[in-house]
Amino acid sequence: MTHNTPLSPRPRPLHSLADGRRRPMTVAQLRAHGVSAAETNEQCRPGGPWQQLLPNVVLLHPGPPTSEERLHAVLLYAARDRGAGPASGAASGAAPAVSVSVPVQPGAEHPPVPAYAEAMITGLAALTLHGFAAAPPLPSLDVVDVLVPRMRRLRTTGCARIVRTTALPTPVELTGVPVAPVARALADAVAELTDPGTVRRLLTEAVRGGHCEPAAVVRELNRARLLSRPHVVDAVDSLVAEGRALAEQRLYRMVREHGLPEPVWNVDLRLPGGPHLGGVDAFWPEQAVALELDTRAHRKQEDDAAWAEHARKREHLERLGITVVHLTPRKLRDCPEHQAAVVRTALMAAGDREPAAYVVVLPR
């Protein structure tokens, strides 16, 4: 051997490898640690110290996996190898490895958190990780849904259920694993649920718990073509009503906490002896400023007609000299100070405009 001959990495003893890591590993990762395929097969024999949880995914201890280990096993099975081509893992049905890990702080009890490429937890498991009380605990789930790109060559097997999408959303990291955003996870969960009560509880908690706005949920349900199911439609109606009530509460709080003049709430506007102009959520008669909350459900079959009606009403009011302020529930939730400033600006600008037409204000 010359001085230029590279040294081969010294294989770690199998017992030290298992003792130092509780999470699953892929066959390729074991090979990188010097464990051959034959040694892996020997360790995974019936009654052996290791077990194969999923194709190409090995748990380095006997006995049932923990919920955390199942999550990581499913992600290892579904994640694309960062160094592989598009067809990697096609023969076995799984990408063999994940090549990047994020180190933990010194003294931490857990090993590095893997960075999983093109895979994230979704469905009921994701909702549980997001903290949904209506979602079942992880140990009670027979399968864990994992979201992957549509063209990936993977199959549902064992505890891993493959969910495909044309465009992956940006995941949220929770408990060290990538998790689909709430709206997407809800749609994937609802796709597998048939109990109306469960669907309604999950959708209601999404809005009541402040996880997301109704419009975002309905967009995902519509994209998944779930709005033709009667029990989903019924739950969406409850969801929209819940979202509307929360948005109105935020609007009342914004007016009160930011010192805006008190408007008349939830009124219909009408020309004297003339046609009905439409309803608004708040109206300041002296300044001729109307405010509307956009709490439409954004269902495709209704959206065009609803938006056309909204635009017609707004144009008619503005032709009469009435300023219309349009707010969304999300803006009220995320930046109420800015929305209050928008309303205040409209009220202050009233003195610089021509007087508006006289309108009759009626309770709605």
Side-chain angles (χ1 to χ4, degrees):
M1 183 177 71
T2 68
H3 292 293
N4 294 325
T5 303
L7 296 175
S8 299
R10 179 177 298 176
R12 289 182 63 184
L14 295 184
H15 67 84
S16 66
L17 183 65
D19 290 344
R21 178 183 293 266
R22 296 291 290 177
R23 288 198 180 110
M25 296 181 70
T26 65
V27 171
Q29 288 171 331
L30 288 169
R31 189 180 304 118
H33 282 278
V35 183
S36 68
E39 288 177 300
T40 297
N41 291 335
E42 174 64 19
Q43 295 295 309
C44 291
R45 70 189 186 281
W50 296 356
Q51 56 182 306
Q52 181 174 317
L53 287 183
L54 291 164
N56 283 333
V57 180
V58 175
L59 185 61
L60 307 187
H61 67 79
T66 66
S67 296
E68 180 186 18
E69 288 169 340
R70 281 211 307 162
L71 291 174
H72 285 281
V74 167
L75 287 165
L76 284 172
Y77 169 67
R80 183 189 293 279
D81 182 3
R82 291 177 182 271
S88 174
S92 64
V98 180
S99 59
V100 178
S101 63
V102 181
V104 294
Q105 295 297 321
E109 297 178 0
H110 299 291
V113 174
Y116 299 103
E118 295 189 352
M120 66 188 73
I121 302 298
T122 189
L124 286 175
L127 296 180
T128 300
L129 292 171
H130 278 290
F132 274 61
L138 291 176
S140 69
L141 294 174
D142 294 328
V143 295
V144 174
D145 294 321
V146 59
L147 190 63
V148 300
R150 183 173 61 87
M151 299 305 293
R152 292 292 310 283
R153 299 179 184 179
L154 288 167
R155 66 181 186 276
T156 293
T157 183
C159 62
R161 180 161 56 199
I162 300 301
V163 180
R164 303 181 189 280
T165 182
T166 55
L168 281 175
T170 301
V172 180
E173 184 176 317
L174 300 172
T175 67
V177 297
V179 179
V182 168
R184 176 65 207 229
L186 269 172
D188 291 333
V190 169
E192 301 294 333
L193 295 172
T194 58
D195 177 58
T198 302
V199 172
R200 184 177 296 108
R201 285 191 296 273
L202 288 171
L203 296 187
T204 300
E205 184 174 353
V207 175
R208 188 176 296 171
H211 294 285
C212 58
E213 297 298 329
V217 177
V218 176
R219 277 196 299 269
E220 289 291 349
L221 293 174
N222 189 47
R223 190 174 297 141
R225 300 179 181 178
L226 296 171
L227 293 180
S228 60
R229 302 181 184 184
H231 70 283
V232 176
V233 173
D234 291 342
V236 165
D237 290 340
S238 299
L239 172 78
V240 172
E242 182 81 17
R244 172 90 193 168
L246 283 175
E248 289 178 345
Q249 291 174 14
R250 290 171 184 154
L251 178 59
Y252 301 151
R253 186 163 57 248
M254 181 196 77
V255 169
R256 182 177 64 253
E257 293 181 355
H258 293 276
L260 295 173
E262 188 74 12
V264 288
W265 297 104
N266 295 317
V267 294
D268 280 321
L269 303 181
R270 185 183 298 273
L271 286 173
H276 176 244
L277 300 174
V280 295
D281 295 286
F283 185 59
W284 288 265
E286 293 184 7
Q287 295 86 0
V289 172
L291 185 147
E292 283 194 294
L293 283 173
D294 181 8
T295 56
R296 292 170 298 141
H298 297 278
R299 282 175 271 195
K300 183 60 179 174
Q301 62 269 31
E302 302 173 3
D303 211 25
D304 293 342
W307 179 253
E309 173 61 22
H310 167 78
R312 182 203 63 77
K313 178 174 68 175
R314 181 169 187 164
E315 290 172 3
H316 196 174
L317 291 174
E318 290 182 343
R319 283 199 304 269
L320 295 172
I322 297 173
T323 300
V324 181
V325 178
H326 181 262
L327 297 184
T328 65
R330 182 174 181 177
K331 289 178 180 178
L332 276 174
R333 182 192 67 183
D334 295 343
C335 49
E337 304 89 353
H338 182 262
Q339 305 315 304
V342 169
V343 175
R344 182 176 287 107
T345 300
L347 294 172
M348 294 175 62
D352 299 328
R353 303 193 310 265
E354 292 294 326
Y358 178 77
V359 295
V360 178
V361 181
L362 300 171
R364 183 164 61 171

